[in-house]
mmCIF file with all atom_site columns, all heavy atoms in Angstrom:
data_model
loop_
_atom_site.group_PDB
_atom_site.id
_atom_site.type_symbol
_atom_site.label_atom_id
_atom_site.label_alt_id
_atom_site.label_comp_id
_atom_site.label_asym_id
_atom_site.label_entity_id
_atom_site.label_seq_id
_atom_site.pdbx_PDB_ins_code
_atom_site.Cartn_x
_atom_site.Cartn_y
_atom_site.Cartn_z
_atom_site.occupancy
_atom_site.B_iso_or_equiv
_atom_site.pdbx_formal_charge
_atom_site.auth_seq_id
_atom_site.auth_comp_id
_atom_site.auth_asym_id
_atom_site.auth_atom_id
_atom_site.pdbx_PDB_model_num
ATOM 1  N N   . LEU A 1 99  ? -7.543  19.322 -18.962 1.00 0.00 ? 897 LEU A N   1
ATOM 2  C CA  . LEU A 1 99  ? -8.519  19.734 -18.017 1.00 0.00 ? 897 LEU A CA  1
ATOM 3  C C   . LEU A 1 99  ? -9.938  19.806 -18.567 1.00 0.00 ? 897 LEU A C   1
ATOM 4  O O   . LEU A 1 99  ? -10.908 19.416 -17.988 1.00 0.00 ? 897 LEU A O   1
ATOM 5  C CB  . LEU A 1 99  ? -8.100  21.034 -17.404 1.00 0.00 ? 897 LEU A CB  1
ATOM 6  C CG  . LEU A 1 99  ? -8.738  21.377 -16.035 1.00 0.00 ? 897 LEU A CG  1
ATOM 7  C CD1 . LEU A 1 99  ? -8.479  20.338 -14.987 1.00 0.00 ? 897 LEU A CD1 1
ATOM 8  C CD2 . LEU A 1 99  ? -8.177  22.709 -15.539 1.00 0.00 ? 897 LEU A CD2 1
ATOM 9  N N   . ASP A 1 100 ? -10.016 20.363 -19.774 1.00 0.00 ? 898 ASP A N   1
ATOM 10 C CA  . ASP A 1 100 ? -11.358 20.504 -20.433 1.00 0.00 ? 898 ASP A CA  1
ATOM 11 C C   . ASP A 1 100 ? -11.974 19.118 -20.738 1.00 0.00 ? 898 ASP A C   1
ATOM 12 O O   . ASP A 1 100 ? -13.173 18.889 -20.539 1.00 0.00 ? 898 ASP A O   1
ATOM 13 C CB  . ASP A 1 100 ? -11.227 21.273 -21.709 1.00 0.00 ? 898 ASP A CB  1
ATOM 14 C CG  . ASP A 1 100 ? -11.083 22.768 -21.434 1.00 0.00 ? 898 ASP A CG  1
ATOM 15 O OD1 . ASP A 1 100 ? -11.649 23.172 -20.471 1.00 0.00 ? 898 ASP A OD1 1
ATOM 16 O OD2 . ASP A 1 100 ? -10.492 23.459 -22.255 1.00 0.00 ? 898 ASP A OD2 1
ATOM 17 N N   . THR A 1 101 ? -11.098 18.192 -21.133 1.00 0.00 ? 899 THR A N   1
ATOM 18 C CA  . THR A 1 101 ? -11.563 16.864 -21.406 1.00 0.00 ? 899 THR A CA  1
ATOM 19 C C   . THR A 1 101 ? -12.152 16.237 -20.130 1.00 0.00 ? 899 THR A C   1
ATOM 20 O O   . THR A 1 101 ? -13.261 15.669 -20.133 1.00 0.00 ? 899 THR A O   1
ATOM 21 C CB  . THR A 1 101 ? -10.372 15.948 -21.894 1.00 0.00 ? 899 THR A CB  1
ATOM 22 O OG1 . THR A 1 101 ? -9.783  16.567 -22.985 1.00 0.00 ? 899 THR A OG1 1
ATOM 23 C CG2 . THR A 1 101 ? -10.835 14.528 -22.279 1.00 0.00 ? 899 THR A CG2 1
ATOM 24 N N   . ILE A 1 102 ? -11.409 16.442 -19.001 1.00 0.00 ? 900 ILE A N   1
ATOM 25 C CA  . ILE A 1 102 ? -11.855 15.837 -17.747 1.00 0.00 ? 900 ILE A CA  1
ATOM 26 C C   . ILE A 1 102 ? -13.156 16.513 -17.316 1.00 0.00 ? 900 ILE A C   1
ATOM 27 O O   . ILE A 1 102 ? -14.113 15.844 -16.895 1.00 0.00 ? 900 ILE A O   1
ATOM 28 C CB  . ILE A 1 102 ? -10.729 16.099 -16.716 1.00 0.00 ? 900 ILE A CB  1
ATOM 29 C CG1 . ILE A 1 102 ? -9.472  15.349 -17.074 1.00 0.00 ? 900 ILE A CG1 1
ATOM 30 C CG2 . ILE A 1 102 ? -11.262 15.709 -15.303 1.00 0.00 ? 900 ILE A CG2 1
ATOM 31 C CD1 . ILE A 1 102 ? -9.689  13.846 -17.174 1.00 0.00 ? 900 ILE A CD1 1
ATOM 32 N N   . ARG A 1 103 ? -13.232 17.823 -17.439 1.00 0.00 ? 901 ARG A N   1
ATOM 33 C CA  . ARG A 1 103 ? -14.430 18.564 -16.974 1.00 0.00 ? 901 ARG A CA  1
ATOM 34 C C   . ARG A 1 103 ? -15.633 18.103 -17.780 1.00 0.00 ? 901 ARG A C   1
ATOM 35 O O   . ARG A 1 103 ? -16.727 17.976 -17.179 1.00 0.00 ? 901 ARG A O   1
ATOM 36 C CB  . ARG A 1 103 ? -14.191 20.076 -17.182 1.00 0.00 ? 901 ARG A CB  1
ATOM 37 C CG  . ARG A 1 103 ? -13.167 20.662 -16.257 1.00 0.00 ? 901 ARG A CG  1
ATOM 38 C CD  . ARG A 1 103 ? -13.859 21.113 -14.960 1.00 0.00 ? 901 ARG A CD  1
ATOM 39 N NE  . ARG A 1 103 ? -12.832 21.115 -13.875 1.00 0.00 ? 901 ARG A NE  1
ATOM 40 C CZ  . ARG A 1 103 ? -11.969 22.094 -13.594 1.00 0.00 ? 901 ARG A CZ  1
ATOM 41 N NH1 . ARG A 1 103 ? -11.951 23.141 -14.389 1.00 0.00 ? 901 ARG A NH1 1
ATOM 42 N NH2 . ARG A 1 103 ? -11.128 21.971 -12.600 1.00 0.00 ? 901 ARG A NH2 1
ATOM 43 N N   . ASN A 1 104 ? -15.444 17.911 -19.074 1.00 0.00 ? 902 ASN A N   1
ATOM 44 C CA  . ASN A 1 104 ? -16.578 17.488 -19.916 1.00 0.00 ? 902 ASN A CA  1
ATOM 45 C C   . ASN A 1 104 ? -17.090 16.120 -19.524 1.00 0.00 ? 902 ASN A C   1
ATOM 46 O O   . ASN A 1 104 ? -18.278 15.861 -19.439 1.00 0.00 ? 902 ASN A O   1
ATOM 47 C CB  . ASN A 1 104 ? -16.187 17.509 -21.361 1.00 0.00 ? 902 ASN A CB  1
ATOM 48 C CG  . ASN A 1 104 ? -16.335 18.890 -21.939 1.00 0.00 ? 902 ASN A CG  1
ATOM 49 O OD1 . ASN A 1 104 ? -17.434 19.264 -22.328 1.00 0.00 ? 902 ASN A OD1 1
ATOM 50 N ND2 . ASN A 1 104 ? -15.273 19.608 -22.059 1.00 0.00 ? 902 ASN A ND2 1
ATOM 51 N N   . LEU A 1 105 ? -16.149 15.208 -19.226 1.00 0.00 ? 903 LEU A N   1
ATOM 52 C CA  . LEU A 1 105 ? -16.572 13.854 -18.829 1.00 0.00 ? 903 LEU A CA  1
ATOM 53 C C   . LEU A 1 105 ? -17.242 13.905 -17.395 1.00 0.00 ? 903 LEU A C   1
ATOM 54 O O   . LEU A 1 105 ? -18.187 13.113 -17.174 1.00 0.00 ? 903 LEU A O   1
ATOM 55 C CB  . LEU A 1 105 ? -15.371 12.916 -18.827 1.00 0.00 ? 903 LEU A CB  1
ATOM 56 C CG  . LEU A 1 105 ? -14.892 12.611 -20.244 1.00 0.00 ? 903 LEU A CG  1
ATOM 57 C CD1 . LEU A 1 105 ? -13.510 12.001 -20.251 1.00 0.00 ? 903 LEU A CD1 1
ATOM 58 C CD2 . LEU A 1 105 ? -15.872 11.643 -20.979 1.00 0.00 ? 903 LEU A CD2 1
ATOM 59 N N   . GLU A 1 106 ? -16.660 14.703 -16.542 1.00 0.00 ? 904 GLU A N   1
ATOM 60 C CA  . GLU A 1 106 ? -17.299 14.904 -15.223 1.00 0.00 ? 904 GLU A CA  1
ATOM 61 C C   . GLU A 1 106 ? -18.778 15.266 -15.322 1.00 0.00 ? 904 GLU A C   1
ATOM 62 O O   . GLU A 1 106 ? -19.595 14.787 -14.598 1.00 0.00 ? 904 GLU A O   1
ATOM 63 C CB  . GLU A 1 106 ? -16.576 16.032 -14.475 1.00 0.00 ? 904 GLU A CB  1
ATOM 64 C CG  . GLU A 1 106 ? -15.445 15.593 -13.651 1.00 0.00 ? 904 GLU A CG  1
ATOM 65 C CD  . GLU A 1 106 ? -14.746 16.777 -12.972 1.00 0.00 ? 904 GLU A CD  1
ATOM 66 O OE1 . GLU A 1 106 ? -15.338 17.882 -12.944 1.00 0.00 ? 904 GLU A OE1 1
ATOM 67 O OE2 . GLU A 1 106 ? -13.604 16.616 -12.605 1.00 0.00 ? 904 GLU A OE2 1
ATOM 68 N N   . ALA A 1 107 ? -19.035 16.124 -16.317 1.00 0.00 ? 905 ALA A N   1
ATOM 69 C CA  . ALA A 1 107 ? -20.417 16.652 -16.543 1.00 0.00 ? 905 ALA A CA  1
ATOM 70 C C   . ALA A 1 107 ? -21.297 15.499 -16.936 1.00 0.00 ? 905 ALA A C   1
ATOM 71 O O   . ALA A 1 107 ? -22.529 15.660 -16.947 1.00 0.00 ? 905 ALA A O   1
ATOM 72 C CB  . ALA A 1 107 ? -20.426 17.746 -17.543 1.00 0.00 ? 905 ALA A CB  1
ATOM 73 N N   . MET A 1 108 ? -20.734 14.353 -17.346 1.00 0.00 ? 906 MET A N   1
ATOM 74 C CA  . MET A 1 108 ? -21.613 13.194 -17.730 1.00 0.00 ? 906 MET A CA  1
ATOM 75 C C   . MET A 1 108 ? -21.737 12.259 -16.511 1.00 0.00 ? 906 MET A C   1
ATOM 76 O O   . MET A 1 108 ? -22.137 11.126 -16.697 1.00 0.00 ? 906 MET A O   1
ATOM 77 C CB  . MET A 1 108 ? -20.941 12.502 -18.893 1.00 0.00 ? 906 MET A CB  1
ATOM 78 C CG  . MET A 1 108 ? -20.782 13.447 -20.137 1.00 0.00 ? 906 MET A CG  1
ATOM 79 S SD  . MET A 1 108 ? -19.881 12.608 -21.425 1.00 0.00 ? 906 MET A SD  1
ATOM 80 C CE  . MET A 1 108 ? -19.371 14.042 -22.403 1.00 0.00 ? 906 MET A CE  1
#
Side-chain angles (χ1 to χ4, degrees):
Chain A
L897 198 57
D898 283 331
T899 305
I900 296 300
R901 291 272 153 82
N902 275 281
L903 289 164
E904 269 176 19
M906 301 174 199

